[in-house]
Amino acid sequence: MAHKSYSWREEQTGLHELEFLETRRHWFTKPVLHDTGGTVNVLNLVEGREAIITSPTGQFEPFVVHYAETFIVPAAVGQYLIAPYGESEGAEIGTIKAYVR
């Protein structure tokens, strides 16, 4: 399954439907809004040099991740934004996200 818009696309990865984890790849050039959906989100920057993660509601201080770094967004955060940052601004970057179904 895939979803997309003008500045992002999402790919469901190949985990079996009976697995309790869901994984998705996201490719984007502009900020993308995510929501934890009440479960912890574990992400890794798989393409691009840098990304910045921010909270639209001030749940946490913005932080920058670099290529191949993994970061965790607690379930209680709710909505958060991921955007290309620094040398990656204007370029396509990619993340992979894992969460409990």
Side-chain angles (χ1 to χ4, degrees):
M1 175 185 353
H3 302 296
K4 65 182 179 176
S5 80
Y6 75 97
S7 64
W8 66 271
R9 70 185 186 280
E10 175 184 76
E11 303 165 347
Q12 185 174 8
T13 62
L15 287 182
H16 192 274
E17 63 189 37
L18 296 179
E19 294 290 332
F20 70 95
L21 288 179
E22 179 75 27
T23 57
R24 303 283 175 108
R25 275 190 221 95
H26 296 97
W27 305 96
F28 49 99
T29 57
K30 304 228 182 270
V32 175
L33 183 65
H34 291 259
D35 194 307
T36 62
T39 185
V40 66
N41 286 197
V42 178
L43 298 99
N44 184 276
L45 185 62
V46 297
E47 183 69 38
R49 194 138 167 95
E50 296 177 301
I52 188 165
I53 294 73
T54 59
S55 169
T57 59
Q59 293 286 321
F60 57 84
E61 292 293 320
F63 61 94
V64 174
V65 295
H66 301 90
Y67 177 73
E69 289 183 341
T70 299
F71 59 100
I72 297 171
V73 181
V77 166
Q79 293 187 331
Y80 60 99
L81 287 161
I82 305 176
Y85 185 74
E87 292 180 29
S88 294
E89 286 185 59
E92 183 175 69
I93 65 173
T95 59
I96 188 161
K97 174 168 69 171
Y99 57 94
V100 176
R101 290 185 182 171

